[in-house]
Amino acid sequence: MGRRGVWSLLLLFVLGFVLLAFAISLAVSIGEISIPLSTTAEAVANRLFGAEFEISRIHQGIVWDYRLSRALVAASAGAALALSGTVLQAMLRNPLAEPYLLGISAGASTGAVAVMILGFGYGVLTLSGGAFIGAVLAFALVVLLAAGAGGTGERIILCGVAGSQLFNALTSYIVTTSANAEQARGVMFWLLGSLSGVRWPDVYLAAPVTVVGFLVCFWHVRALDAFVFGMDAAASLGIPVRRVQAILLGATALMTATVVSIVGSIGFVGLVIPHAARFIVGPGHGRLLPAAALAGAIFMVVADIISRIIIPQQILPIGVVTALFGAPAFAAILYRARRSA
């Protein structure tokens, strides 16, 4: 890449960070109670820097205790899902690969339902804790199945599909046989994705996991570039294929399990965003990983804003919004790829 290309790429990433900061500012300001951006900045300054701006305690609480934490979790979740999708598409050499392909979402749903309806771990496990355990168990099952089947990309996908069907069936069975109407509604809302209950402890979990996951994936940029050409090509370049596969699968599983345990199942982010980022910055993973993370964070924050304002006095599950925008976007990407082929 020439010097002009480097500066263009740097400008693009700076613009991405500016857009993300602006989106988070809007997410904190917009809601049933509108708060000016200046008041939002003052509320944040009061808590972070000990400033003494005079604003109402209600506005201070809404900005800091509710909306800012929600926006930061949305950004972390979007970045984590987009990163996971980018890595899986390269590693499995499948443009339709996405984070929930490994059965993680289905397992998390079963774990959450087991806590919510059956009372497993009552008094010890939270809903998020149960979802995380379910996600890890589902991923372990898929890994065991894939190892027994040979561990190729196609077989990992098939094992993920089988694991997803199994845990989805378990979830349906628990809801059908044990849930009352109120519990069934709660489960349905959670399964569609919800940011309503997130607070600062969720930020302290989601943000570090996303940052660590990004660093692990970025450390293996060379391997990801090689995986696009096949495992044999990667091995010929001296890459320890099995070890790198295990590390990257573990990183994507951890990020996805953390996201699902906090906000529920949110589709299309890990599928669509990597394709959009690839269209903008190209296929090289040194550029693609940070671009996908930024784009995923921005997309999720904007989707959260839309979920709160599209219907007056009602909040849509964020998974509904991502699907409504993600499905047409993915169709457009496929159509464009077919025309350029």
Side-chain angles (χ1 to χ4, degrees), residues 45-286:
N46 286 346
R47 291 301 298 263
L48 287 181
F49 308 114
E52 297 181 354
F53 293 109
E54 293 186 4
I55 60 175
S56 73
R57 295 179 63 183
I58 293 177
H59 285 175
Q60 181 74 49
I62 290 174
V63 168
W64 186 262
D65 297 325
Y66 175 60
R67 291 185 185 171
L68 182 58
S69 59
R70 178 179 178 132
L72 291 176
V73 168
S76 299
L81 293 176
L83 278 171
S84 299
T86 304
V87 170
L88 289 174
Q89 287 170 13
M91 193 164 52
L92 303 180
R93 301 181 67 196
N94 189 326
L96 298 180
E98 51 100 21
Y100 298 139
L101 189 72
L102 300 178
I104 296 171
S105 175
S109 301
T110 303
V113 167
V115 171
M116 185 185 302
I117 297 175
L118 299 181
F120 285 176
Y122 182 75
V124 178
L125 283 178
T126 62
L127 185 68
S128 296
F132 186 81
I133 291 174
V136 172
L137 289 175
F139 176 67
L141 175 63
V142 170
V143 168
L144 287 175
L145 289 174
T152 62
E154 294 81 0
R155 289 173 181 174
I156 291 174
I157 292 173
L158 291 175
C159 291
V161 171
S164 295
Q165 293 299 318
L166 171 63
F167 282 96
N168 284 332
L170 287 174
T171 301
S172 300
Y173 177 79
I174 295 172
V175 173
T176 302
T177 59
S178 304
N180 56 40
E182 183 178 349
Q183 288 174 326
R185 280 196 301 271
V187 169
M188 182 60 67
F189 195 83
W190 187 86
L191 290 178
L192 291 173
S194 173
L195 288 160
S196 297
V198 300
R199 295 295 183 267
W200 281 105
D202 299 307
V203 178
Y204 302 146
L205 174 61
V209 166
T210 301
V211 171
V212 171
F214 172 79
L215 293 176
V216 169
C217 295
F218 197 77
W219 182 260
H220 294 91
V221 160
R222 178 171 170 266
L224 287 170
D225 285 337
F227 284 159
V228 174
F229 299 100
M231 297 304 167
D232 292 338
S236 69
L237 294 173
I239 294 170
V241 172
R242 296 297 183 192
R243 182 171 64 84
V244 173
Q245 272 188 319
I247 292 172
L248 291 176
L249 279 175
T252 58
L254 178 61
M255 287 190 288
T256 306
T258 302
V259 168
V260 174
S261 70
I262 295 172
V263 303
S265 300
I266 299 174
F268 281 98
V269 179
L271 182 62
V272 174
I273 297 301
H275 288 283
R278 197 175 290 111
F279 175 74
I280 295 172
V281 301
H285 286 84

